[in-house]
Amino acid sequence: MGHGQAERIESAVDGGAAALFAGAVAFAAARLGSIPLTVAAAAAAFAGCLLTLAQVRPRVPSFALAEFACAPFEPVVPDELVLTDADRRTPLDNAPSDAVLVLDDILAELGPDSRVVRLFDPAAMPTAGELKARIDGHLNRAIPAAPDATQDLYAALDELRRSLR
Protein backbone atom coordinates (compact mmCIF):
# COMPACT_ATOMS: atom_id res chain seq x y z
CA MET A 1 0.00 0.00 0.00
CA GLY A 2 1.49 3.30 -1.07
CA HIS A 3 1.66 6.47 0.98
CA GLY A 4 -0.97 8.21 -1.15
CA GLN A 5 -3.43 5.36 -0.81
CA ALA A 6 -2.95 5.29 2.98
CA GLU A 7 -3.67 9.03 3.14
CA ARG A 8 -6.85 8.60 1.08
CA ILE A 9 -8.06 5.85 3.40
CA GLU A 10 -7.29 7.97 6.47
CA SER A 11 -9.14 10.95 4.94
CA ALA A 12 -12.18 8.75 4.24
CA VAL A 13 -12.17 7.46 7.81
CA ASP A 14 -11.88 11.03 9.13
CA GLY A 15 -14.81 12.09 6.95
CA GLY A 16 -16.91 9.16 8.15
CA ALA A 17 -16.15 9.96 11.78
CA ALA A 18 -17.03 13.62 11.23
CA ALA A 19 -20.29 12.64 9.51
CA LEU A 20 -21.24 10.37 12.42
CA PHE A 21 -20.51 13.15 14.90
CA ALA A 22 -22.51 15.64 12.82
CA GLY A 23 -25.43 13.20 12.69
CA ALA A 24 -25.40 12.84 16.47
CA VAL A 25 -25.33 16.63 16.91
CA ALA A 26 -28.16 17.03 14.36
CA PHE A 27 -30.28 14.49 16.24
CA ALA A 28 -29.73 16.28 19.53
CA ALA A 29 -30.42 19.69 17.96
CA ALA A 30 -33.60 18.40 16.30
CA ARG A 31 -34.91 17.31 19.68
CA LEU A 32 -34.23 20.77 21.11
CA GLY A 33 -34.97 23.28 18.33
CA SER A 34 -36.05 24.06 14.81
CA ILE A 35 -34.85 22.81 11.41
CA PRO A 36 -32.52 25.76 10.58
CA LEU A 37 -30.86 25.34 13.98
CA THR A 38 -30.45 21.60 13.33
CA VAL A 39 -28.82 22.17 9.91
CA ALA A 40 -26.49 24.86 11.27
CA ALA A 41 -25.44 22.74 14.23
CA ALA A 42 -24.78 19.69 12.03
CA ALA A 43 -22.72 21.73 9.54
CA ALA A 44 -20.68 23.34 12.31
CA ALA A 45 -20.09 19.97 14.00
CA PHE A 46 -19.02 18.35 10.71
CA ALA A 47 -16.62 21.17 9.80
CA GLY A 48 -15.17 21.42 13.28
CA CYS A 49 -14.64 17.69 13.62
CA LEU A 50 -13.12 17.36 10.13
CA LEU A 51 -10.71 20.25 10.73
CA THR A 52 -9.72 18.87 14.11
CA LEU A 53 -9.05 15.41 12.70
CA ALA A 54 -7.06 16.91 9.81
CA GLN A 55 -4.66 18.44 12.37
CA VAL A 56 -3.81 15.03 13.80
CA ARG A 57 -0.71 13.72 12.08
CA PRO A 58 1.50 10.76 12.90
CA ARG A 59 4.61 11.59 14.87
CA VAL A 60 8.05 11.21 13.40
CA PRO A 61 9.78 8.19 14.95
CA SER A 62 11.86 9.29 17.90
CA PHE A 63 14.43 6.53 17.58
CA ALA A 64 17.24 6.45 15.04
CA LEU A 65 18.06 3.43 12.95
CA ALA A 66 21.70 2.82 12.22
CA GLU A 67 22.75 2.39 8.62
CA PHE A 68 24.02 -1.07 7.84
CA ALA A 69 25.36 -2.83 4.79
CA CYS A 70 24.13 -6.23 3.75
CA ALA A 71 26.76 -8.92 3.84
CA PRO A 72 27.38 -10.70 0.55
CA PHE A 73 25.54 -13.99 0.26
CA GLU A 74 27.49 -17.04 -0.74
CA PRO A 75 25.48 -20.17 -1.57
CA VAL A 76 26.51 -23.21 0.41
CA VAL A 77 26.77 -26.49 -1.48
CA PRO A 78 26.48 -29.48 0.88
CA ASP A 79 28.71 -32.50 0.35
CA GLU A 80 26.01 -35.07 1.03
CA LEU A 81 22.30 -35.69 0.45
CA VAL A 82 22.31 -34.17 -3.01
CA LEU A 83 20.38 -36.18 -5.57
CA THR A 84 21.52 -36.29 -9.14
CA ASP A 85 20.03 -37.77 -12.30
CA ALA A 86 21.95 -40.97 -11.61
CA ASP A 87 19.91 -41.40 -8.42
CA ARG A 88 16.62 -41.28 -10.29
CA ARG A 89 15.16 -44.60 -11.32
CA THR A 90 11.82 -46.23 -11.52
CA PRO A 91 10.99 -49.54 -9.84
CA LEU A 92 10.66 -51.31 -13.18
CA ASP A 93 14.04 -50.21 -14.62
CA ASN A 94 15.70 -53.54 -13.86
CA ALA A 95 12.60 -55.68 -14.46
CA PRO A 96 12.15 -57.50 -17.76
CA SER A 97 9.56 -55.99 -20.09
CA ASP A 98 7.21 -59.00 -19.79
CA ALA A 99 7.23 -59.00 -15.95
CA VAL A 100 3.81 -59.44 -14.37
CA LEU A 101 2.91 -57.85 -11.09
CA VAL A 102 1.37 -60.50 -8.84
CA LEU A 103 -0.36 -59.55 -5.63
CA ASP A 104 -0.32 -62.33 -3.06
CA ASP A 105 -2.94 -62.49 -0.34
CA ILE A 106 -1.14 -62.88 2.97
CA LEU A 107 -4.25 -64.15 4.79
CA ALA A 108 -3.93 -67.89 5.16
CA GLU A 109 -7.44 -68.48 6.43
CA LEU A 110 -10.40 -66.24 7.09
CA GLY A 111 -11.77 -66.18 10.57
CA PRO A 112 -15.50 -66.73 11.12
CA ASP A 113 -15.91 -63.22 12.55
CA SER A 114 -14.09 -61.50 9.68
CA ARG A 115 -16.86 -59.05 8.73
CA VAL A 116 -15.06 -56.95 6.11
CA VAL A 117 -13.96 -59.93 4.07
CA ARG A 118 -17.33 -61.65 4.50
CA LEU A 119 -19.04 -58.53 3.23
CA PHE A 120 -17.65 -59.18 -0.23
CA ASP A 121 -17.78 -62.96 -0.04
CA PRO A 122 -20.06 -64.13 -2.88
CA ALA A 123 -21.22 -67.14 -0.85
CA ALA A 124 -22.44 -64.90 1.98
CA MET A 125 -24.35 -62.51 -0.32
CA PRO A 126 -28.15 -62.92 -0.26
CA THR A 127 -29.93 -63.80 -3.45
CA ALA A 128 -32.32 -61.41 -5.16
CA GLY A 129 -35.30 -63.37 -3.83
CA GLU A 130 -34.00 -63.15 -0.25
CA LEU A 131 -33.47 -59.40 -0.59
CA LYS A 132 -37.00 -58.94 -1.96
CA ALA A 133 -38.42 -60.99 0.91
CA ARG A 134 -36.57 -58.82 3.45
CA ILE A 135 -37.81 -55.60 1.84
CA ASP A 136 -41.39 -56.88 1.61
CA GLY A 137 -41.22 -57.92 5.26
CA HIS A 138 -40.22 -54.39 6.27
CA LEU A 139 -42.90 -52.79 4.10
CA ASN A 140 -45.70 -55.12 5.20
CA ARG A 141 -44.92 -54.88 8.88
CA ALA A 142 -47.99 -53.55 10.64
CA ILE A 143 -47.54 -50.26 12.43
CA PRO A 144 -49.56 -50.21 15.64
CA ALA A 145 -52.27 -47.55 15.59
CA ALA A 146 -52.03 -44.77 18.11
CA PRO A 147 -54.80 -44.87 20.72
CA ASP A 148 -57.55 -42.30 20.26
CA ALA A 149 -57.21 -39.85 23.14
CA THR A 150 -59.64 -37.24 21.88
CA GLN A 151 -62.10 -37.69 24.74
CA ASP A 152 -59.32 -37.47 27.32
CA LEU A 153 -58.09 -34.24 25.73
CA TYR A 154 -61.56 -32.68 25.80
CA ALA A 155 -61.98 -33.71 29.43
CA ALA A 156 -58.63 -32.17 30.39
CA LEU A 157 -59.49 -28.91 28.60
CA ASP A 158 -62.89 -28.71 30.33
CA GLU A 159 -61.22 -29.27 33.69
CA LEU A 160 -58.73 -26.51 32.90
CA ARG A 161 -61.53 -24.09 31.94
CA ARG A 162 -63.39 -24.84 35.16
CA SER A 163 -60.25 -24.28 37.25
CA LEU A 164 -59.63 -20.87 35.63
CA ARG A 165 -63.13 -19.52 36.40
Side-chain angles (χ1 to χ4, degrees):
M1 180 183 322
H3 181 68
Q5 185 178 8
E7 281 187 357
R8 284 193 303 273
I9 291 172
E10 289 174 0
S11 297
V13 169
D14 288 349
L20 284 173
F21 180 68
V25 169
F27 178 75
R31 303 282 288 176
L32 298 176
S34 64
I35 300 253
L37 174 67
T38 303
V39 172
F46 181 77
C49 184
L50 196 61
L51 289 174
T52 303
L53 289 174
Q55 298 300 318
V56 176
R57 292 285 165 225
R59 285 186 275 165
V60 178
S62 61
F63 53 90
L65 294 177
E67 294 290 329
F68 65 93
C70 292
F73 176 73
E74 296 178 15
V76 178
V77 179
D79 295 337
E80 58 187 43
L81 299 178
V82 177
L83 297 176
T84 63
D85 288 335
D87 296 323
R88 296 176 189 227
R89 35 171 244 177
T90 61
L92 300 177
D93 281 346
N94 297 334
S97 61
D98 61 344
V100 177
L101 180 62
V102 178
L103 298 176
D104 293 329
D105 189 5
I106 60 169
L107 292 176
E109 184 178 324
L110 299 177
D113 60 342
S114 179
R115 300 176 101 190
V116 175
V117 176
R118 294 177 123 219
L119 178 69
F120 299 108
D121 183 17
M125 297 296 268
T127 63
E130 292 172 342
L131 285 175
K132 184 174 182 334
R134 282 189 202 171
I135 293 170
D136 289 340
H138 284 289
L139 293 177
N140 294 334
R141 185 175 45 182
I143 299 173
D148 186 20
T150 308
Q151 293 301 326
D152 295 335
L153 179 62
Y154 284 131
L157 289 173
D158 286 337
E159 181 66 29
L160 181 62
R161 279 189 206 117
R162 275 187 251 127
S163 68
L164 292 176
R165 289 184 189 172

